[in-house]
Amino acid sequence: MLDFGLTEYGDMEDYNTKFLNELSPGNEICGEIVVGEFKKVPMGKREVAEFYVIITNRENRTKWVSEFTTPYYPETDNIYGENGGLFYTFIDSLNHVVNKTPLNWQDNYSVNFSQFRKTVNESLSSIKVKAVPPVNPDAKTVNLQVTDAVVKTESEKDKPLTIYDLAQKDPIILMAYANLRNKGDRITVKNITFELRSSLDDGVITKNAFQNALVELNQLEPSVDHQ
């Protein structure tokens, strides 16, 4: 079973970008899926997490952008999906399609965001979702129900050979890579790690995201450093 808890980026400037509020019940979209990093937003005495799921259809050159807002618990890096909500419907149906669990498997979902994002981005090559009516009558958008997902084979999960390869698959490392290029600094594992540490200290990325990026960097040999 996959533990929910990147595809390469091409030139997408000429892609038609559409958003969740443009979908009506019954509409279906499919394509490559990427879960972006989240940002924390204060709401009352707690924080919520806002993040985007992007589904890119290369055949019709359309990029669907869906924004998710969920309660966030920084002590565990967990996000929360309440039964009937957008995230609940998405993660519940995704778990059903991939791991064969029953629909409405749990009353609510508490999900480690970093693990969820890492698993989706690294293990799913494509996904199909159907727009379904929201349970909440006051909701402004449809819910997304996963109806199909293609899990990558082991041969598709090739170990990256260079920092550039790794940056193309991980937007956190890509951000650090771009910062070094913009400053004219050498692209090395050591310098990428320093950039990531700075982003962590500045609150740009979470501790879990930082640690996951270090795990990815540790796959590389020192000889891959770009001089």
Side-chain angles (χ1 to χ4, degrees):
M1 296 177 67
L2 290 182
D3 176 15
F4 287 111
L6 287 181
T7 58
E8 295 184 0
Y9 292 94
D11 181 6
M12 296 188 178
E13 291 184 359
D14 59 342
Y15 275 56
N16 184 20
T17 301
K18 293 180 173 289
F19 298 92
L20 185 61
N21 60 6
E22 299 180 58
L23 289 173
S24 300
N27 291 159
E28 290 186 327
I29 56 177
C30 61
E32 301 170 8
I33 181 170
V34 171
V35 178
E37 182 59 281
F38 71 80
K39 65 177 180 179
K40 295 179 288 185
V41 179
M43 182 173 289
K45 296 182 178 181
R46 295 201 61 86
E47 293 178 320
V48 298
E50 292 183 353
F51 64 96
Y52 292 91
V53 172
I54 301 173
I55 299 175
T56 303
N57 188 315
R58 295 186 182 274
E59 292 185 4
N60 61 23
R61 304 187 74 77
T62 301
K63 180 168 57 177
W64 286 93
V65 180
S66 302
E67 181 180 5
F68 289 74
T69 301
T70 71
Y72 174 66
Y73 300 87
E75 59 273 14
T76 58
D77 194 36
N78 280 12
I79 56 177
Y80 182 76
E82 184 176 358
N83 197 315
L86 175 60
F87 181 65
Y88 177 95
T89 302
F90 181 81
I91 189 65
D92 181 70
S93 57
L94 178 61
N95 207 27
H96 169 71
V97 167
V98 175
N99 290 330
K100 311 305 179 186
T101 57
L103 287 173
N104 299 311
W105 188 43
Q106 297 184 17
D107 291 337
N108 300 289
Y109 281 96
S110 182
V111 178
N112 181 270
F113 178 81
S114 295
Q115 183 62 54
F116 161 71
R117 177 173 173 267
K118 177 181 173 67
T119 299
V120 170
N121 289 350
E122 293 184 358
S123 299
L124 299 184
S125 59
S126 66
I127 196 170
K128 178 187 285 187
V129 300
K130 181 179 181 180
V132 296
V135 174
N136 183 352
D138 296 326
K140 297 180 180 180
T141 63
V142 296
N143 283 352
L144 295 179
Q145 183 179 64
V146 178
T147 58
D148 190 30
V150 178
V151 179
K152 294 179 182 178
T153 63
E154 288 303 317
S155 62
E156 291 178 290
K157 302 177 187 177
D158 292 334
K159 186 175 180 179
L161 299 177
T162 68
I163 297 175
Y164 178 79
D165 293 335
L166 192 56
Q168 297 307 299
K169 295 184 177 182
D170 191 318
I172 298 299
I173 295 176
L174 179 61
M175 177 178 64
Y177 184 98
N179 288 342
L180 290 176
R181 288 292 299 270
N182 290 337
K183 293 188 292 187
D185 292 344
R186 293 174 60 211
I187 308 298
T188 66
V189 171
K190 181 178 179 180
N191 287 347
I192 289 284
T193 302
F194 181 81
E195 281 293 319
L196 291 170
R197 170 64 69 179
S198 296
S199 295
L200 174 64
D201 292 341
D202 292 341
V204 176
I205 63 175
T206 65
K207 183 177 181 180
N208 276 36
F210 172 74
Q211 292 174 338
N212 286 337
L214 292 187
V215 170
E216 297 293 336
L217 287 168
N218 286 338
Q219 297 181 50
L220 302 175
E221 298 294 335
S223 59
V224 306
D225 285 353
H226 175 71
Q227 304 298 324

